[in-house]
Amino acid sequence: MMTLECGVVANIIQEDDTVQILYVDLNGLVEKAINYKDIYGRIEIGQKVWLNTTAVRLKLGSGGFHFVLWHDAMHAVKMYGDGHIMKLPYTPWQFGCLSVEEDDSAYHSAFTRECTLDGMPVIICELHSMLAPTAAVLKYIGFDTLAYIMTDRACLPIAFSNTVKELRRKELLDYTITVGNAFGGDYEAVNLYTALITAHRIARADAAIVAIGPGIIGTGTMYGFSTLEQGHYIDDVNALSGRAIFMPRISFSDPRSRHIGISHHSLTALSLAAHTQAEVYIPILPKKQMRMVISQIEGGNLLNKHRWRFRDGSCIGAIMERYGLHVTTMGRSYNDDPAFFKVAGALKNI
């Protein structure tokens, strides 16, 4: 089901090179909408727009925004140049882009021979909210060039992420690579393998961070969540001779029991989906919390399957403060949910 509504732009709340946040009058009800300028160009106050209002009307996430689908000043739009790789294929919104692997790409030759990551660290995160603290720690300990690989299991336009914009502005992130149907990165890649090679061979990154964009699908079932494939990411990194580092999702403040301690998402990815070993970083926590975490690891028969690194992660608060980062996860700050953020702090000792 898709819900479409027509309205008139009442005001422009915020704007940068890629995104406009608008107030749109929908028959007297003024609501927020996002316009992706790379797709639809710039919109002016007073223009008629058609919005996809589905997520908000279903009371889902998407940040409480509608999304511009069309506007009355549009006649022809050309995106991304002359590439032949389709994003959002076989939908009314499909468009072509130039991927790094294509014949016409300046980087094509990098993918015509056997590739290796030569031990490059690849940090695999479940949630987009892990990106900022992870990047901050890596920069703090001396990684000069970082690449963020955004997969297509959540938000597809990287322009939606204010986190990425802030990290770029603060020089905590150097390159972005969008994979599959995700789009808008510095480089476009067909799959995770070629994205990893792009990070190493083209961006010359010292390390890469792999994570979904904003938003995550979860159904409360054992396998019905969008980041189960994190386990496959571990295998992909190892297949290319990289250093697979897994960031488990840990919380003692989440109201849902399945996410207390190590989230069942992380445990399932590590036990079911991963067939090779990762380094898994666990922060030192208060004794009761630590006992629960170790019990989960042992209970899942994971102690010998992966390489566990128990490290002090208490530095993360000071590091985020140093860089002026005010990060939340599911609306919770560091003070609300310290265990979640301390996972990134544990990376200080990699």
Side-chain angles (χ1 to χ4, degrees), residues 143-311:
F143 284 82
D144 289 330
T145 305
L146 295 182
Y148 167 45
I149 298 172
M150 189 176 104
T151 64
D152 60 1
R153 288 295 173 244
C155 172
L156 297 180
I158 200 169
F160 185 79
S161 173
N162 289 325
T163 296
V164 168
K165 292 174 185 175
E166 181 179 13
L167 293 175
R168 294 296 292 267
R169 189 167 57 248
K170 294 182 174 181
E171 300 183 345
L172 295 175
L173 195 61
D174 301 286
Y175 295 99
T176 59
I177 305 162
T178 36
V179 175
N181 283 306
F183 61 90
D186 297 317
Y187 303 102
E188 304 284 358
V190 170
N191 58 47
L192 182 61
Y193 278 89
T194 52
L196 290 166
I197 294 163
T198 299
H200 177 56
R201 186 165 284 179
I202 298 171
R204 305 289 183 185
D206 300 310
I209 302 169
V210 181
I212 61 173
I216 184 173
I217 296 171
T219 63
T221 61
M222 185 176 294
Y223 307 130
F225 57 95
S226 54
T227 52
L228 180 61
E229 64 184 37
Q230 284 182 295
H232 305 316
Y233 298 168
I234 293 170
D235 298 339
D236 294 348
V237 173
N238 287 327
L240 290 173
S241 299
R243 181 183 174 190
I245 298 171
F246 187 87
M247 298 271 288
R249 176 179 173 181
I250 298 178
S251 175
F252 288 91
S253 301
D254 198 298
R256 298 161 294 183
S257 60
R258 63 185 181 273
H259 295 305
I260 293 296
I262 304 177
S263 166
H264 85 97
H265 287 188
S266 295
L267 292 170
T268 306
L270 289 169
S271 60
L272 174 72
H275 298 288
T276 56
Q277 280 195 332
E279 295 177 51
V280 186
Y281 277 76
I282 301 289
I284 303 300
L285 300 168
K287 287 183 180 179
K288 183 177 179 181
Q289 296 179 1
M290 203 79 244
R291 283 197 298 269
M292 180 177 182
V293 165
I294 292 172
S295 174
Q296 289 175 309
I297 294 168
E298 293 175 341
N301 295 316
L302 291 170
L303 196 58
N304 296 318
K305 182 173 182 178
H306 297 283
R307 299 185 298 277
W308 298 87
R309 308 287 188 250
F310 295 90
R311 302 287 189 267

Side-chain angles (χ1 to χ4, degrees), residues 57-167:
R57 297 297 179 244
L58 289 175
K59 302 187 187 308
L60 301 177
S62 302
F65 295 100
H66 304 308
F67 294 89
V68 171
L69 187 66
W70 200 257
H71 61 84
D72 61 358
M74 287 186 68
H75 300 290
V77 176
K78 184 177 181 180
M79 296 174 58
Y80 286 93
D82 300 320
H84 297 86
I85 299 301
M86 301 304 293
K87 300 280 186 171
L88 314 184
Y90 302 97
T91 73
W93 302 277
Q94 66 181 357
F95 62 91
C97 73
L98 183 65
S99 75
V100 287
E101 306 93 335
E102 287 192 70
D103 288 344
D104 293 337
S105 168
Y107 310 109
H108 174 72
S109 62
F111 304 94
T112 58
R113 59 192 186 276
E114 188 174 349
C115 301
T116 175
L117 299 180
D118 299 314
M120 180 184 75
V122 179
I123 294 85
I124 299 165
C125 303
E126 177 177 348
L127 298 179
H128 194 68
S129 53
M130 293 177 168
L131 174 61
T134 299
V137 170
L138 293 177
K139 282 289 187 177
Y140 180 80
I141 62 177
F143 284 82
D144 289 330
T145 305
L146 295 182
Y148 167 45
I149 298 172
M150 189 176 104
T151 64
D152 60 1
R153 288 295 173 244
C155 172
L156 297 180
I158 200 169
F160 185 79
S161 173
N162 289 325
T163 296
V164 168
K165 292 174 185 175
E166 181 179 13
L167 293 175

Side-chain angles (χ1 to χ4, degrees), residues 33-80:
I34 285 181
N35 172 48
Y36 292 113
K37 294 166 70 176
D38 286 341
I39 302 176
Y40 299 116
R42 190 176 190 279
I43 293 177
E44 305 287 349
I45 294 173
Q47 282 184 227
K48 183 182 290 187
V49 293
W50 284 260
L51 306 179
N52 183 328
T53 61
T54 310
V56 175
R57 297 297 179 244
L58 289 175
K59 302 187 187 308
L60 301 177
S62 302
F65 295 100
H66 304 308
F67 294 89
V68 171
L69 187 66
W70 200 257
H71 61 84
D72 61 358
M74 287 186 68
H75 300 290
V77 176
K78 184 177 181 180
M79 296 174 58
Y80 286 93

